[in-house]
Amino acid sequence: MHEMKNLVTVSTPVCKRTAQKDVTMEAGGLPLELWRVILAYLHLPDLGRCSLVCKAWYELILSLDSTRWRQLCLGCTECRHPNWPNQPDVEPESWREAFKQHYLASKTWTKNALDLDSSVCFSLFRRRRERRTLSVGPGHEFDSLGSALAMASLYDRIVLFPGVYEEQGEIVLKVPVEIVGHGKLGEVALLASIDQHCSTTRLCNLVFMPAWFSPFMFKTTSGHVQFDNCNFENGHIQVHGPGTCQVKFCTFKNTHVFLHNVPLCVLENCEFVGSENNSVTVEGHPSADKNWAYKYLLGLIKSSPSVLPTEDPDSLMSLDLESRDQAWSPRTCDIVIEGSQSPTSPASSSPKPGSKAGSQEAEVGSDGERVAQTPDSSDGGLSPSGEDEDEDQLTYRLSYQVRGPRPVLGGSFLGPPLPGASIQLPSCLVLNSLQQELQKDKEAMALASSIQGCLIRKCLFRDGKGGVFVCSYGRAKMEGNIFRNLTYAVRCIHNSKIVMLRNDVHRCRAAGIFLRLEGGGLIAGNNIYHNAEAGVDIRKKSNPLILCNQIHHGLRSGIVVLGNGKGIIRNNQIFSNKEAGIYILYHGNPVVSGNHIFKGRAAGIAVNENGKGLITENVIRENQWGGVDIRRGGVPVLRSNLICFGYSDGVVVGDEGKGLIEGNTIYANKGCGVWMMSSSLPHVSSNHVSYNGLYGVAVFSQKDGSGEFPGGHGAQENFSEDGDAILWETELEKDDDPLRRPVTTALVESNSINHNGASGLYVQSSEALHIVTNVIHANGDRGITVAQSGQLTRVANNSISCNRQSGVKVEAQCKVELRGNGIYDNRGHGIITKGDSTVVIENDIIGNRGSGLQLLPRSDTKVIKNRIHSFRAYGIAVRGRAKALVQENIIFQGKTNKTIFQQISNNRDCVMQNNKFLVFKKKSDTWRLVNPPARPHLDNSLRGPSAAHGGQKVTAMATRITARVEGGYHSNRSIFCTIL
């Protein structure tokens, strides 16, 4: 080594002369590789001196990162691999930087000496005392730690040689000292109870075990303690504020770290194993009194690498659905449709029984309904003008304009879903990166950057009961940790605040992260999966911000909000959970926005038991049960979401469910778009419901049965810590939300319902229902089917067009009012009714392939002030003994060989008064729908309360609905509606 130093010394002038000429470092005629071999023998001080020679030498020293710097880092007995314990096989970005950070951290405890020296007068003239090294062990200067401490002075170093040291009394540290174990970790064991009364101390390379008389291995109340590369077994460590601690590369086996009112403590690269209680408890608000070490710890934290994300948003990956299910990480910007033939498009539905392939003439079924078997049009814009006609017959067409579907999210959701196609999401529904979200939300950025209380980073918590417990106004920040195989990872209660960034929480036997009693903070960028209960559990007025997490493959729900819990749940990926992705109940009231909730084995979002919530701009897709399920007093606001590709219904509103369902795109679900019970009094407004496999909107009134739950689950889940869900009822707040006005009638308003596999809107209800200002277009069966209506069903100002069968069908014993509708170009009749109390007033019934209006036997109908035209058949057809009042209508002739009005028998119950029949005489005749213009008059129609009122908050605890599907359509229940 002496020769190597001489070589370096001799070559230094040569390097200085050549550095300006050639920075590639062929100094003194020696190749660069040979210099690296030579410098690899130098110790740390010599490397530092060489790096100061010149720029070329400095770069050469830096180039030794994977060789000499790695050897120095791994060879240091005071530290371990920089990525221990979470990623010991992954090399750091720079071994030199890792070694530098550890070296600086190891000197924190001595910073107080500089402060003391600078405060003494004439410090420049005072000679600094050299630190002594005191040796303890057999054959050395001292036999025990206590005897060495009795002789120690300020900042002396006490070295314990291999052996077991058991102290029979409490050790009190009165002067700052450094206690270090000699040899490998594990060779020096210390059984003692140490009470620190001095300003600072450091303990390194020791195995701590509790003394026989006390479970406390170490405690301090005001000073600073630093632990490096130590093991702690079966005891307690206690730090009270304003005391501070710095712990690195330590292992805690069944050891409890208790931090009370600490202003700042750092636990870094530590392992916590086999705890019988909490591994770390942070209690009390950080002390306003701060000791000398606070500013140095704060500076050290700010200078070390952060786990805050720095990724480029342009580098975000886009994966197909299957790869996202297998590998959870990347953000998604599009949806790829899988499978072979889509079952949701009317164009792909099979012909009805009794039809003749290729026939273009309408056939009459057993109930008199005409079913046209003409080929479908992909856009539903059916027009009679494209059909072949007999040359000897004249067909007259009125001039009018059919109102088609109104786009909500853009063109991607106006066409049928095609296998393998990619659907581009609008910008409002694309997931942002964590960095983008923090830049937009200054409050979240401030939380993420805050350092207060306890900082725990790059630690491993495993195989025990609890991870971190924060209580009584405590503050804790957790970065880059792994929590696995615990009962729970993190609990935050009693007005405490936590910040969790980039942690891995999995395989907990209960909830992963649990907040109650007004706990809060920021939970961002975490990977939370395979937990036995909810990934995140929010209760009792807790109000966290849950941002950009991956919450997946849970054995229950992804996130649960109950017992007046609140919170903002934003921009998360929640997928492949066994129960609801987000479950809101017992007056839970979160804001759920911008999340992607997909591939769940139950509902995407469930709102039960008086749950609330504002659910907006989420992508809810490919869930096994309902995309959103609302029951038992759930009163959410569901707005501007994309609910698509579900294996059951899009939205389910079950028994006693309420809420506002507004402005959503409900697309390509295999069941109904919206399945609801009219007794639940939902408000369904301004949604785009298209390409669903069965009904667009289905309204039922039959109460749900207590069907079997999948996997043997019961009808109610136990969310109480004490096993009694009734306890939550005593803490529920009054529902005083001014945005939620009482609703007395179920309302379906201003929706675009098109291209669904069965009827656009199906009603089988004993309660009143209002169907107002909807566009019902190109559905695979009828536009509206009223199969049962015990009270009045009001159908007003709707556009009903281009449906595969009749525009509207009213079954027997139904009470229906049709007013102000435009019923155009349907392939069956315009309206067909068996109802005993049907009012048809001021409608435009134009261009339908069957009769404009068909009245079946035993029906009782009032037909007043309508404009009626049939493309090929009669304007009005009365079958059998139908009772009717036909008054003040304008009826246009269709084909030349068809009469305008047909009555099968001489029926005195059919009264005709003041009707106007228009028969054309030549092709040049022109009739237009004017005064008033073509109906519906949507711009002048009254809208419901959703147009003026927003509303807030979400869901409920679902009861399962079992269902039967006959002939491809619903009977009276939802197809696998949902359950938790």
Side-chain angles (χ1 to χ4, degrees), residues 522-564:
L522 172 65
I523 300 171
N526 302 283
N527 184 21
I528 305 169
Y529 61 101
H530 282 302
N531 297 291
E533 298 290 340
V536 181
D537 190 317
I538 305 169
R539 313 184 184 204
K540 293 187 177 180
K541 300 183 181 180
S542 294
N543 189 19
L545 171 57
I546 302 175
L547 186 66
C548 298
N549 300 281
Q550 309 278 347
I551 305 174
H552 58 102
H553 291 95
L555 301 183
R556 302 289 290 267
S557 301
I559 298 176
V560 169
V561 186
L562 68 156
N564 292 317

Short mmCIF file of all heavy atoms in Angstrom, two decimals, residues 522-564:
data_model
loop_
_atom_site.label_atom_id
_atom_site.label_comp_id
_atom_site.label_asym_id
_atom_site.label_seq_id
_atom_site.Cartn_x
_atom_site.Cartn_y
_atom_site.Cartn_z
N LEU A 522 -52.85 11.60 3.61
CA LEU A 522 -52.68 11.30 2.19
C LEU A 522 -52.20 9.86 2.02
O LEU A 522 -51.21 9.46 2.63
CB LEU A 522 -51.65 12.27 1.57
CG LEU A 522 -51.22 11.99 0.14
CD1 LEU A 522 -52.39 12.17 -0.83
CD2 LEU A 522 -50.06 12.90 -0.26
N ILE A 523 -52.92 9.11 1.19
CA ILE A 523 -52.53 7.74 0.86
C ILE A 523 -52.37 7.71 -0.66
O ILE A 523 -53.36 7.71 -1.40
CB ILE A 523 -53.60 6.74 1.33
CG1 ILE A 523 -53.79 6.83 2.85
CG2 ILE A 523 -53.22 5.32 0.93
CD1 ILE A 523 -54.97 6.04 3.37
N ALA A 524 -51.14 7.72 -1.15
CA ALA A 524 -50.91 7.95 -2.58
C ALA A 524 -49.83 7.02 -3.13
O ALA A 524 -48.80 6.78 -2.50
CB ALA A 524 -50.51 9.41 -2.81
N GLY A 525 -50.09 6.52 -4.33
CA GLY A 525 -49.09 5.76 -5.06
C GLY A 525 -48.75 4.42 -4.46
O GLY A 525 -47.67 3.87 -4.73
N ASN A 526 -49.64 3.85 -3.63
CA ASN A 526 -49.36 2.58 -2.98
C ASN A 526 -49.90 1.40 -3.79
O ASN A 526 -50.84 1.54 -4.58
CB ASN A 526 -50.00 2.56 -1.59
CG ASN A 526 -49.51 3.70 -0.72
OD1 ASN A 526 -48.42 3.66 -0.20
ND2 ASN A 526 -50.33 4.74 -0.60
N ASN A 527 -49.32 0.24 -3.57
CA ASN A 527 -49.79 -1.01 -4.17
C ASN A 527 -50.40 -1.85 -3.04
O ASN A 527 -49.69 -2.36 -2.19
CB ASN A 527 -48.63 -1.74 -4.84
CG ASN A 527 -49.09 -2.98 -5.57
OD1 ASN A 527 -50.26 -3.12 -5.92
ND2 ASN A 527 -48.18 -3.91 -5.81
N ILE A 528 -51.74 -1.97 -3.05
CA ILE A 528 -52.47 -2.59 -1.95
C ILE A 528 -53.22 -3.79 -2.52
O ILE A 528 -54.13 -3.62 -3.33
CB ILE A 528 -53.44 -1.58 -1.31
CG1 ILE A 528 -52.68 -0.32 -0.87
CG2 ILE A 528 -54.20 -2.19 -0.15
CD1 ILE A 528 -53.57 0.84 -0.47
N TYR A 529 -52.88 -5.00 -2.09
CA TYR A 529 -53.46 -6.17 -2.76
C TYR A 529 -53.45 -7.39 -1.86
O TYR A 529 -52.73 -7.47 -0.86
CB TYR A 529 -52.70 -6.45 -4.06
CG TYR A 529 -51.24 -6.77 -3.89
CD1 TYR A 529 -50.77 -8.09 -3.94
CD2 TYR A 529 -50.31 -5.76 -3.71
CE1 TYR A 529 -49.42 -8.38 -3.79
CE2 TYR A 529 -48.96 -6.04 -3.57
CZ TYR A 529 -48.52 -7.35 -3.61
OH TYR A 529 -47.18 -7.64 -3.47
N HIS A 530 -54.30 -8.35 -2.22
CA HIS A 530 -54.38 -9.66 -1.55
C HIS A 530 -54.61 -9.54 -0.04
O HIS A 530 -54.07 -10.33 0.73
CB HIS A 530 -53.10 -10.48 -1.81
CG HIS A 530 -53.06 -11.10 -3.17
ND1 HIS A 530 -54.02 -11.98 -3.62
CD2 HIS A 530 -52.17 -10.97 -4.18
CE1 HIS A 530 -53.72 -12.36 -4.85
NE2 HIS A 530 -52.61 -11.76 -5.22
N ASN A 531 -55.42 -8.57 0.37
CA ASN A 531 -55.75 -8.46 1.78
C ASN A 531 -57.07 -9.16 2.08
O ASN A 531 -57.97 -9.20 1.24
CB ASN A 531 -55.82 -6.98 2.18
CG ASN A 531 -54.48 -6.29 2.02
OD1 ASN A 531 -53.54 -6.57 2.74
ND2 ASN A 531 -54.38 -5.41 1.03
N ALA A 532 -57.19 -9.71 3.30
CA ALA A 532 -58.37 -10.52 3.63
C ALA A 532 -59.62 -9.66 3.79
O ALA A 532 -60.72 -10.10 3.49
CB ALA A 532 -58.11 -11.30 4.92
N GLU A 533 -59.47 -8.42 4.26
CA GLU A 533 -60.59 -7.49 4.33
C GLU A 533 -60.33 -6.37 3.32
O GLU A 533 -59.58 -6.55 2.39
CB GLU A 533 -60.72 -6.95 5.77
CG GLU A 533 -61.03 -8.02 6.81
CD GLU A 533 -62.44 -8.58 6.69
OE1 GLU A 533 -63.29 -7.91 6.08
OE2 GLU A 533 -62.69 -9.69 7.20
N ALA A 534 -60.96 -5.23 3.54
CA ALA A 534 -60.81 -4.13 2.59
C ALA A 534 -59.36 -3.66 2.50
O ALA A 534 -58.62 -3.70 3.49
CB ALA A 534 -61.70 -2.96 3.02
N GLY A 535 -58.96 -3.21 1.32
CA GLY A 535 -57.63 -2.63 1.18
C GLY A 535 -57.50 -1.38 2.02
O GLY A 535 -56.51 -1.18 2.72
N VAL A 536 -58.53 -0.51 1.97
CA VAL A 536 -58.57 0.71 2.79
C VAL A 536 -59.94 0.77 3.45
O VAL A 536 -60.96 0.65 2.78
CB VAL A 536 -58.34 1.98 1.95
CG1 VAL A 536 -58.36 3.22 2.83
CG2 VAL A 536 -57.02 1.90 1.19
N ASP A 537 -59.98 0.96 4.76
CA ASP A 537 -61.21 0.98 5.55
C ASP A 537 -61.33 2.34 6.23
O ASP A 537 -60.47 2.71 7.03
CB ASP A 537 -61.16 -0.15 6.60
CG ASP A 537 -62.48 -0.36 7.30
OD1 ASP A 537 -63.12 0.64 7.65
OD2 ASP A 537 -62.88 -1.52 7.50
N ILE A 538 -62.39 3.10 5.89
CA ILE A 538 -62.56 4.47 6.38
C ILE A 538 -63.84 4.54 7.20
O ILE A 538 -64.92 4.25 6.68
CB ILE A 538 -62.63 5.46 5.20
CG1 ILE A 538 -61.41 5.32 4.30
CG2 ILE A 538 -62.75 6.89 5.70
CD1 ILE A 538 -61.53 6.07 2.99
N ARG A 539 -63.73 4.96 8.47
CA ARG A 539 -64.89 4.98 9.36
C ARG A 539 -64.90 6.23 10.23
O ARG A 539 -63.89 6.90 10.41
CB ARG A 539 -64.90 3.76 10.28
CG ARG A 539 -64.64 2.44 9.61
CD ARG A 539 -64.77 1.32 10.59
NE ARG A 539 -64.42 0.03 9.97
CZ ARG A 539 -64.85 -1.13 10.41
NH1 ARG A 539 -65.63 -1.20 11.45
NH2 ARG A 539 -64.50 -2.25 9.81
N LYS A 540 -66.07 6.47 10.83
CA LYS A 540 -66.25 7.45 11.91
C LYS A 540 -65.59 8.79 11.63
O LYS A 540 -64.64 9.20 12.30
CB LYS A 540 -65.74 6.87 13.22
CG LYS A 540 -66.58 5.69 13.73
CD LYS A 540 -66.14 5.25 15.11
CE LYS A 540 -67.04 4.12 15.62
NZ LYS A 540 -66.65 3.66 16.97
N LYS A 541 -66.06 9.46 10.58
CA LYS A 541 -65.67 10.83 10.24
C LYS A 541 -64.21 10.95 9.79
O LYS A 541 -63.69 12.07 9.68
CB LYS A 541 -65.92 11.78 11.41
CG LYS A 541 -67.37 11.85 11.84
CD LYS A 541 -67.58 12.87 12.95
CE LYS A 541 -69.03 12.91 13.41
NZ LYS A 541 -69.25 13.89 14.48
N SER A 542 -63.55 9.87 9.51
CA SER A 542 -62.21 9.97 8.92
C SER A 542 -62.32 10.55 7.52
O SER A 542 -63.29 10.30 6.81
CB SER A 542 -61.54 8.60 8.88
OG SER A 542 -61.29 8.13 10.19
N ASN A 543 -61.30 11.29 7.12
CA ASN A 543 -61.41 12.04 5.87
C ASN A 543 -60.07 12.09 5.15
O ASN A 543 -59.44 13.14 5.03
CB ASN A 543 -61.92 13.46 6.17
CG ASN A 543 -62.28 14.22 4.91
OD1 ASN A 543 -62.50 13.64 3.84
ND2 ASN A 543 -62.33 15.53 5.01
N PRO A 544 -59.58 10.96 4.63
CA PRO A 544 -58.28 10.95 3.94
C PRO A 544 -58.41 11.31 2.46
O PRO A 544 -59.51 11.29 1.89
CB PRO A 544 -57.83 9.50 4.10
CG PRO A 544 -59.12 8.73 4.04
CD PRO A 544 -60.16 9.61 4.73
N LEU A 545 -57.28 11.59 1.86
CA LEU A 545 -57.18 11.72 0.40
C LEU A 545 -56.49 10.47 -0.12
O LEU A 545 -55.33 10.20 0.22
CB LEU A 545 -56.38 12.97 0.03
CG LEU A 545 -56.00 13.15 -1.45
CD1 LEU A 545 -57.24 13.15 -2.33
CD2 LEU A 545 -55.20 14.43 -1.66
N ILE A 546 -57.22 9.70 -0.93
CA ILE A 546 -56.70 8.43 -1.45
C ILE A 546 -56.45 8.63 -2.94
O ILE A 546 -57.38 8.78 -3.73
CB ILE A 546 -57.70 7.29 -1.19
CG1 ILE A 546 -57.96 7.18 0.31
CG2 ILE A 546 -57.19 5.97 -1.74
CD1 ILE A 546 -59.02 6.17 0.67
N LEU A 547 -55.21 8.61 -3.34
CA LEU A 547 -54.82 9.14 -4.65
C LEU A 547 -53.85 8.20 -5.36
O LEU A 547 -52.84 7.78 -4.82
CB LEU A 547 -54.16 10.51 -4.42
CG LEU A 547 -53.78 11.36 -5.61
CD1 LEU A 547 -55.04 11.81 -6.35
CD2 LEU A 547 -53.00 12.58 -5.16
N CYS A 548 -54.18 7.83 -6.59
CA CYS A 548 -53.26 7.14 -7.50
C CYS A 548 -52.71 5.83 -6.92
O CYS A 548 -51.52 5.52 -7.08
CB CYS A 548 -52.10 8.05 -7.89
SG CYS A 548 -52.59 9.54 -8.80
N ASN A 549 -53.55 5.07 -6.24
CA ASN A 549 -53.12 3.78 -5.72
C ASN A 549 -53.57 2.65 -6.63
O ASN A 549 -54.47 2.80 -7.45
CB ASN A 549 -53.74 3.56 -4.33
CG ASN A 549 -53.33 4.62 -3.34
OD1 ASN A 549 -52.25 4.59 -2.80
ND2 ASN A 549 -54.22 5.58 -3.10
N GLN A 550 -52.93 1.52 -6.48
CA GLN A 550 -53.37 0.27 -7.09
C GLN A 550 -53.96 -0.59 -5.97
O GLN A 550 -53.25 -0.99 -5.06
CB GLN A 550 -52.18 -0.47 -7.71
CG GLN A 550 -51.30 0.35 -8.64
CD GLN A 550 -51.90 0.45 -10.03
OE1 GLN A 550 -52.81 -0.28 -10.36
NE2 GLN A 550 -51.37 1.34 -10.85
N ILE A 551 -55.26 -0.86 -6.03
CA ILE A 551 -55.94 -1.62 -4.99
C ILE A 551 -56.61 -2.80 -5.67
O ILE A 551 -57.59 -2.63 -6.38
CB ILE A 551 -56.96 -0.75 -4.24
CG1 ILE A 551 -56.27 0.51 -3.68
CG2 ILE A 551 -57.64 -1.53 -3.11
CD1 ILE A 551 -57.21 1.51 -3.05
N HIS A 552 -56.08 -3.99 -5.46
CA HIS A 552 -56.51 -5.09 -6.33
C HIS A 552 -56.38 -6.45 -5.65
O HIS A 552 -55.68 -6.63 -4.67
CB HIS A 552 -55.70 -5.07 -7.63
CG HIS A 552 -54.21 -5.18 -7.45
ND1 HIS A 552 -53.51 -6.34 -7.66
CD2 HIS A 552 -53.30 -4.26 -7.06
CE1 HIS A 552 -52.23 -6.13 -7.44
NE2 HIS A 552 -52.06 -4.87 -7.06
N HIS A 553 -57.12 -7.41 -6.21
CA HIS A 553 -57.08 -8.81 -5.80
C HIS A 553 -57.34 -8.99 -4.30
O HIS A 553 -56.80 -9.89 -3.67
CB HIS A 553 -55.74 -9.46 -6.19
CG HIS A 553 -55.58 -9.62 -7.68
ND1 HIS A 553 -54.92 -8.69 -8.43
CD2 HIS A 553 -56.01 -10.57 -8.53
CE1 HIS A 553 -54.93 -9.07 -9.71
NE2 HIS A 553 -55.59 -10.21 -9.79
N GLY A 554 -58.18 -8.12 -3.74
CA GLY A 554 -58.57 -8.27 -2.34
C GLY A 554 -59.59 -9.38 -2.19
O GLY A 554 -60.38 -9.66 -3.09
N LEU A 555 -59.60 -10.01 -1.02
CA LEU A 555 -60.57 -11.08 -0.75
C LEU A 555 -61.92 -10.52 -0.34
O LEU A 555 -62.88 -11.27 -0.22
CB LEU A 555 -60.03 -12.02 0.34
CG LEU A 555 -58.69 -12.68 0.01
CD1 LEU A 555 -58.29 -13.64 1.12
CD2 LEU A 555 -58.75 -13.43 -1.32
N ARG A 556 -62.00 -9.24 -0.10
CA ARG A 556 -63.28 -8.56 0.11
C ARG A 556 -63.29 -7.34 -0.82
O ARG A 556 -62.92 -7.43 -1.96
CB ARG A 556 -63.45 -8.17 1.59
CG ARG A 556 -63.37 -9.31 2.59
CD ARG A 556 -64.56 -10.26 2.58
NE ARG A 556 -65.79 -9.74 3.06
CZ ARG A 556 -66.23 -9.85 4.32
NH1 ARG A 556 -65.46 -10.38 5.24
NH2 ARG A 556 -67.42 -9.40 4.64
N SER A 557 -63.69 -6.19 -0.29
CA SER A 557 -63.78 -4.99 -1.12
C SER A 557 -62.44 -4.28 -1.23
O SER A 557 -61.54 -4.49 -0.42
CB SER A 557 -64.82 -4.03 -0.52
OG SER A 557 -66.09 -4.65 -0.45
N GLY A 558 -62.34 -3.40 -2.25
CA GLY A 558 -61.13 -2.60 -2.39
C GLY A 558 -61.07 -1.50 -1.35
O GLY A 558 -60.12 -1.39 -0.59
N ILE A 559 -62.11 -0.65 -1.32
CA ILE A 559 -62.21 0.43 -0.34
C ILE A 559 -63.59 0.37 0.29
O ILE A 559 -64.59 0.23 -0.41
CB ILE A 559 -61.99 1.81 -0.99
CG1 ILE A 559 -60.58 1.90 -1.61
CG2 ILE A 559 -62.18 2.94 0.02
CD1 ILE A 559 -60.34 3.20 -2.37
N VAL A 560 -63.66 0.51 1.62
CA VAL A 560 -64.93 0.54 2.34
C VAL A 560 -65.02 1.88 3.07
O VAL A 560 -64.07 2.29 3.75
CB VAL A 560 -65.03 -0.63 3.34
CG1 VAL A 560 -66.21 -0.44 4.27
CG2 VAL A 560 -65.18 -1.94 2.60
N VAL A 561 -66.17 2.56 2.92
CA VAL A 561 -66.42 3.82 3.62
C VAL A 561 -67.73 3.66 4.37
O VAL A 561 -68.78 3.44 3.75
CB VAL A 561 -66.50 5.01 2.65
CG1 VAL A 561 -66.61 6.31 3.42
CG2 VAL A 561 -65.29 5.04 1.72
N LEU A 562 -67.72 3.78 5.71
CA LEU A 562 -68.93 3.57 6.48
C LEU A 562 -68.88 4.37 7.76
O LEU A 562 -67.87 5.00 8.10
CB LEU A 562 -69.11 2.09 6.80
CG LEU A 562 -68.13 1.41 7.77
CD1 LEU A 562 -68.79 0.19 8.38
CD2 LEU A 562 -66.87 0.99 7.06
N GLY A 563 -70.00 4.37 8.50
CA GLY A 563 -70.06 5.04 9.79
C GLY A 563 -69.68 6.51 9.72
O GLY A 563 -68.86 6.98 10.49
N ASN A 564 -70.30 7.27 8.77
CA ASN A 564 -70.00 8.69 8.59
C ASN A 564 -68.58 8.95 8.10
O ASN A 564 -68.07 10.07 8.21
CB ASN A 564 -70.24 9.49 9.88
CG ASN A 564 -71.71 9.56 10.24
OD1 ASN A 564 -72.54 9.78 9.38
ND2 ASN A 564 -72.02 9.34 11.50
#
